[in-house]
Amino acid sequence: MTLQARIALNLIAGALGGILAWMIIDLTGWFAPILDSNTSIQTGDARYWLQVVLGGALGCLVGILLGLVDALSVDSNELRVRGLALHAVLGFVGGALGIYLGQAVWALLAPKGGGESIASPGDFAQTLIARSIGWALIGAGVGAAQGAARRSVALIRQGLFGGFVGGLIGGVFFQSATSVIGNPSIARLLGFVCIGAATGFFIGLIQTLFKQAWVRVVLGRNEGKEYLIDKPVMVIGRSELADIGLFGNAKIMPHHCVIEQVQGRFRLRTVAAEGAAARGQTASDVRVNGLAINPDVWLTDGDSIAIDDRKLEFRERLSQKRAEQPLQRPATPPPPVAATLKVIEGADIGKSFGLGTTAVVIGRTDDSTICLKSDTSISRKHASIQNTAGHWSVTDSGSANGTYINGNRLDPSATAPLKSGDHIRVGDTVLRIEYQSS
């Protein structure tokens, strides 16, 4: 699926989510106590929380439908199910929070009396502003939830903006339709469809307009499919939990290579050697524009990436291209600092893992470089540790229970440098990194 097609699918999915929300809210009778009310609902009123649930239902259904679009770009059934569940839960939270804030804005800005009757053009304008801002906050909550479900800070910001704009338009349509049609139920249908469609459209549009880089499959399974580079470290490999999945070829390792964001640029680094050696296999070379990389290379727009019989194309938006010379590795690169990870707390206490020159993945599955399957609190792909310019850093891979450095939790997908002696907590396991003096 191309990024342009995703915009259209987001629009359709958001509109369908709005229709489903209207059917549940207006046709079931569950929300009749607030829909039939002609008075403002104040905090403390039992109906107030029913109104919060109404916003949550709208956010949940729009979130599920937008989550289905996201599922089309995921190669793992487990990730699809997990993603849909996150979209539903976070969509509900976002919608509920949005309507909670929106109700506060309505109480502050709406004409005195709080009712729906409009006595003058001034009252109409005031009501329109209050309603539109209130709905914009609902859209913002739903939009931010979509980014949170994908565990990307950049997508949270983009979803927040896209959802706000979509909700603002939906609020204008709702209030205008209420005044013209005089049927609140039909106006809600139009408003819900508009807020869902506009939120989905603007989320997709903003993400596409502000994308920094993406990868397109040129040859192999899923030809034409595009993957946004929206995390600090994107894993390419045969694992079902890889960010860019290349399945059906045993010469491609579960974690074969990674694309890292460094100083606003993108670097391709091979990580297959250690995983292949552990399995007694030989991993296919990673080639960029026909040349094998060892161990990494800076990527530029249009570069061709080949891994055995699979071919990808790296694309970078025009504004990211720089006039200055591309980043270069020093003529005499600093030697990597040898390091060891030692388990000092947890089921695997006492175990040690040497760190080489390539990135390692900490997780619960057998294809993890550091497999800690005894700790059920660890995600299947919990965190990765990589060496950059001779020093080690850790990146949370969007784990369920988080990654902690010396007691401080990393943001999802965030990267932090590591000093000798630092404690890394993953699940119920604590590891200490120890640099070896040269």
Side-chain angles (χ1 to χ4, degrees), residues 93-333:
V93 172
L97 180 61
I99 204 168
Y100 180 88
L101 297 174
Q103 179 68 9
V105 169
W106 170 259
L108 182 65
L109 299 181
K112 298 305 178 183
E116 299 291 340
S117 60
I118 298 181
S120 68
D123 282 348
F124 173 79
Q126 189 175 352
T127 302
L128 183 66
I129 292 172
R131 184 75 71 189
S132 300
I133 294 178
W135 278 56
L137 292 173
I138 299 173
V142 174
Q146 309 319 305
R150 293 171 65 182
R151 302 179 181 183
S152 168
V153 175
L155 293 184
I156 289 175
R157 292 196 299 264
Q158 294 163 8
L160 190 71
F161 179 77
F164 185 90
V165 173
L168 193 68
I169 295 174
V172 171
F173 267 78
F174 171 76
Q175 191 58 45
S176 301
T178 301
S179 302
V180 174
I181 299 174
N183 185 324
S185 180
I186 298 301
R188 265 189 298 275
L189 172 59
L190 294 175
F192 284 178
V193 169
C194 185
I195 193 174
T199 299
F201 172 78
F202 278 104
I203 288 174
L205 180 64
I206 293 299
Q207 289 176 2
T208 300
L209 289 178
F210 287 92
K211 65 182 182 292
Q212 292 186 334
W214 64 102
V215 168
R216 183 169 67 91
V217 180
V218 176
L219 183 63
R221 181 175 172 179
N222 297 325
E223 285 183 19
K225 192 170 185 177
E226 295 179 340
Y227 298 86
L228 275 176
I229 308 299
D230 56 8
K231 298 197 300 187
V233 179
M234 297 281 291
V235 177
I236 303 174
R238 186 163 44 86
S239 169
E240 279 219 347
L241 297 180
D243 299 299
I244 301 174
L246 302 177
F247 307 120
N249 186 332
K251 294 181 180 179
I252 298 177
M253 294 294 103
H255 300 98
H256 203 97
C257 54
V258 296
I259 296 178
E260 302 170 329
Q261 296 190 42
V262 182
Q263 301 174 25
R265 299 293 302 276
F266 298 87
R267 178 173 60 193
L268 181 68
R269 176 193 291 272
T270 178
V271 296
E274 290 184 3
R279 293 169 174 76
Q281 297 175 287
T282 300
S284 296
D285 287 338
V286 180
R287 295 180 175 273
V288 174
N289 301 326
L291 300 177
I293 67 170
N294 185 24
D296 55 39
V297 66
W298 296 106
L299 294 171
T300 57
D301 183 57
D303 280 347
S304 173
I305 304 170
I307 307 173
D308 201 64
D309 62 346
R310 309 301 168 87
K311 184 178 289 186
L312 309 172
E313 182 182 39
F314 174 80
R315 300 307 307 268
E316 194 173 12
R317 70 184 175 96
L318 295 177
S319 60
Q320 283 293 113
K321 297 180 182 178
R322 299 167 187 245
E324 66 265 21
Q325 292 295 319
L327 294 173
Q328 300 288 339
R329 288 191 298 273
T332 54

Side-chain angles (χ1 to χ4, degrees), residues 3-85:
L3 299 177
Q4 289 74 18
R6 187 188 187 95
I7 298 176
L9 288 176
N10 265 9
L11 186 149
I12 295 170
L16 289 175
I19 292 173
L20 290 177
W22 175 80
M23 293 172 65
I24 289 177
I25 290 167
D26 266 65
L27 302 185
T28 61
W30 298 339
F31 296 91
I34 57 176
L35 299 182
D36 297 337
S37 175
N38 289 321
T39 60
S40 177
I41 300 174
Q42 304 297 324
T43 305
D45 190 321
R47 296 173 300 168
Y48 188 89
W49 297 109
L50 186 60
Q51 193 169 46
V52 171
V53 173
L54 183 153
L58 173 62
C60 177
L61 289 166
V62 172
I64 289 175
L65 269 294
L66 293 178
L68 286 173
V69 177
D70 273 353
L72 296 176
S73 63
V74 175
D75 299 313
S76 162
N77 288 329
E78 179 181 339
L79 290 180
R80 289 189 184 105
V81 172
R82 187 189 302 176
L84 281 174

Side-chain angles (χ1 to χ4, degrees), residues 45 66 133 280 337 357 422 426:
D45 190 321
L66 293 178
I133 294 178
V337 177
T357 59
D422 280 350
V426 290

